[in-house]
Amino acid sequence: SITINVSASGGTGNVVKYYYSKDNGSNYVESSSSSYTFNNLTSDATFYVKVYVKDSNNRESSVSSTSIRTKISLKEVCSSGTNLASCIKTYGNKGSSITNIYHHDTNLANGAGDNSYRYAGASNQVNNYVCFGSTQSPCPADNLYRIIGVFGDKVKLIKYDYANSNLLGTNGDYDTDTYKKSSSSTYKGELVTINQYSWNYKNNTSINDGYGSNTWSTSLLNKTNLNQNFITNIGAEWANKIDMTTWKVGGNTQNNIYSQPAKTAYQNEIVNPVTTNSTDNKTEYSAKIGLMYVSDYGFAAVPSAWTANLNTYNGEAIKNANWMYMGLNEWTISRGANIDWYVFYVYSTGNVATYYANAAYGVRPSFNLLSSVTYVSGSGTSSDPIRIN
């Protein structure tokens, strides 16, 4: 439905009649109300709405007109059994104003240029929820994930809320400190307490004078919490839907990532990482589970933010228009490659920063689904998430 609200005045008589049309103006609907709703509209269509008014002396105003594009739901594009990556691309091609999906081809201003399809915008406008790890209805909150985008033929997910020890365990890089919802004014989720994990500390608590290491291949958060405990705890049926991924873990300097806009950060983080770290020259790591990239977070914001440097994402207009922002300190997978113990994280205020690898922050697992995964149902809202085969 589309509701039209009119503000009209003028003339010596009072405005008493309104005339509304959703076609070329040949079939006006007369109404005594300054608000009118057109119902039963066709989805994914453009309507040319025209309005004029008459006063009590039958004097007509000029005609005011506008064009309105109606929304279309993912479930109107995808049918059960359709390849999930393909149907999201098809849906995305309906236009970002309808889908909040942006095709990052070479024509997209300030985009990644990698031909990906990424969701971007405020959380309540982005319908990218997936129920993963459960067939219950409604989907349990702990099983809600969100689609970062489609990269090639694979759909990349991130956990909607932070993962707790029921999924990640209390070994590895687990820390006994917790965040508490009651003491946070920025947290967006519903968990009462949120467990925290170091990025890479417990493997060797004396390395770098106790600051930890930013070498992902030695991290117990990586090897134990994510790629052992998480995989075990979601169950074999669901773990078998996750593809092996070559994660880009070389990172780059702070100035080359957080002091840059998303497009430049993407180039420096993913396309041309540099490693001056003396302990590890490895820039790739193969595993099923990882974390968000800094550039994933950057491109999840509304496109008008893509020209801002990532260390300025704490502005209200940006962080409130970024569906990936959840309001607590949380790790990314990328390191500050020029200092052996620095890792990039999303600060609770919304901007990207670096800190020691021994710090304890929130964790949201991220992974790619197999290219063979298909769509079953769902519009992508939190109450009607996408269900997969």
Side-chain angles (χ1 to χ4, degrees):
S1 65
I2 294 175
T3 299
I4 304 297
N5 295 296
V6 181
S7 176
S9 62
T12 58
N14 295 320
V15 175
V16 292
K17 294 179 182 178
Y18 298 80
Y19 295 83
Y20 303 89
S21 172
K22 65 177 175 61
D23 54 19
N24 61 8
S26 59
N27 296 297
Y28 283 99
V29 175
E30 181 181 331
S31 173
S32 60
S33 173
S34 61
S35 177
Y36 186 81
T37 300
F38 294 104
N39 293 306
N40 302 317
L41 299 178
T42 303
S43 63
D44 192 24
T46 300
F47 291 90
Y48 299 90
V49 179
K50 297 185 177 184
V51 179
Y52 73 96
V53 298
K54 287 183 181 181
D55 67 12
S56 57
N57 293 317
N58 257 357
R59 289 176 296 195
E60 297 180 2
S61 72
S62 59
V63 175
S64 178
S65 63
T66 187
S67 62
I68 298 175
R69 181 93 180 269
T70 54
K71 295 283 189 178
I72 183 173
S73 168
L74 180 73
K75 64 172 57 177
E76 296 178 79
V77 173
C78 303
S79 57
S80 182
T82 305
N83 179 269
L84 180 61
S86 296
C87 78
I88 291 173
K89 289 180 180 180
T90 300
Y91 182 55
N93 287 333
K94 296 292 183 181
S96 57
S97 62
I98 294 175
T99 64
N100 283 98
I101 299 173
Y102 293 82
H103 184 196
H104 285 249
D105 60 9
T106 56
N107 297 318
L108 181 64
N110 306 305
D114 61 353
N115 215 35
S116 61
Y117 287 74
R118 299 172 186 250
Y119 283 89
S123 184
N124 61 0
Q125 297 175 353
V126 176
N127 296 327
N128 61 346
Y129 289 88
V130 176
C131 190
F132 186 87
S134 175
T135 58
Q136 293 182 40
S137 184
C139 183
D142 202 34
N143 295 102
L144 285 175
Y145 291 72
R146 301 188 78 166
I147 299 172
I148 294 175
V150 180
F151 301 82
D153 59 356
K154 296 180 178 63
V155 177
K156 185 178 183 181
L157 304 185
I158 185 171
K159 197 173 186 301
Y160 152 64
D161 209 340
Y162 300 102
N164 270 340
S165 60
N166 62 309
L167 289 174
L168 299 183
T170 56
N171 54 355
D173 267 305
Y174 172 80
D175 193 282
T176 55
D177 286 342
T178 59
Y179 292 115
K180 292 180 172 57
K181 180 178 180 178
S182 59
S183 60
S184 173
S185 61
T186 57
Y187 174 51
K188 304 294 184 181
E190 299 301 325
L191 296 169
V192 176
T193 59
I194 302 94
N195 294 134
Q196 300 179 64
Y197 294 80
S198 297
W199 199 88
N200 185 4
Y201 174 58
K202 298 288 184 65
N203 179 59
N204 186 341
T205 59
S206 64
I207 195 170
N208 294 321
D209 295 326
Y211 289 141
S213 166
N214 62 10
T215 301
W216 187 243
S217 60
T218 64
S219 165
L220 296 184
L221 170 63
N222 166 28
K223 295 191 294 183
T224 301
N225 302 112
L226 293 173
N227 283 292
Q228 181 175 311
N229 297 345
F230 179 80
I231 288 175
T232 298
N233 289 328
I234 62 174
E237 177 185 357
W238 293 93
N240 288 338
K241 300 180 191 297
I242 300 174
D243 202 3
M244 287 290 292
T245 294
T246 301
W247 298 93
K248 305 293 185 178
V249 296
N252 213 305
T253 67
Q254 290 93 321
N255 286 339
N256 284 343
I257 292 184
Y258 71 34
S259 296
Q260 302 295 333
K263 180 178 181 177
T264 306
Y266 170 80
Q267 289 293 318
N268 293 332
E269 178 186 32
I270 307 300
V271 181
N272 297 306
V274 296
T275 303
T276 56
N277 186 307
S278 61
T279 61
D280 184 22
N281 291 320
K282 191 171 186 179
T283 60
E284 295 182 344
Y285 185 88
S286 294
K288 283 196 169 188
I289 314 300
L291 303 173
M292 71 165 95
Y293 290 120
V294 173
S295 52
D296 287 339
Y297 179 74
F299 284 127
V302 66
S304 60
W306 296 350
T307 57
N309 292 343
L310 296 172
N311 59 358
T312 67
Y313 265 41
N314 54 324
E316 295 296 321
I318 297 181
K319 71 179 181 181
N320 291 331
N322 186 332
W323 65 263
M324 204 179 288
Y325 171 65
M326 281 300 291
L328 297 178
N329 294 345
E330 70 172 288
W331 291 119
T332 76
I333 200 170
S334 298
R335 66 181 178 179
N338 55 318
I339 301 177
D340 289 355
W341 53 86
Y342 269 8
V343 180
F344 290 98
Y345 73 104
V346 176
Y347 191 38
S348 60
T349 56
N351 57 296
V352 176
T354 55
Y355 203 63
Y356 309 139
N358 68 344
Y361 294 151
V363 171
R364 282 194 286 169
S366 180
F367 50 85
N368 288 304
L369 298 174
L370 291 171
S371 59
S372 57
V373 167
T374 59
Y375 170 90
V376 174
S377 64
S379 61
T381 64
S382 57
S383 59
D384 183 30
I386 295 167
R387 302 280 181 159
I388 61 177
N389 71 327

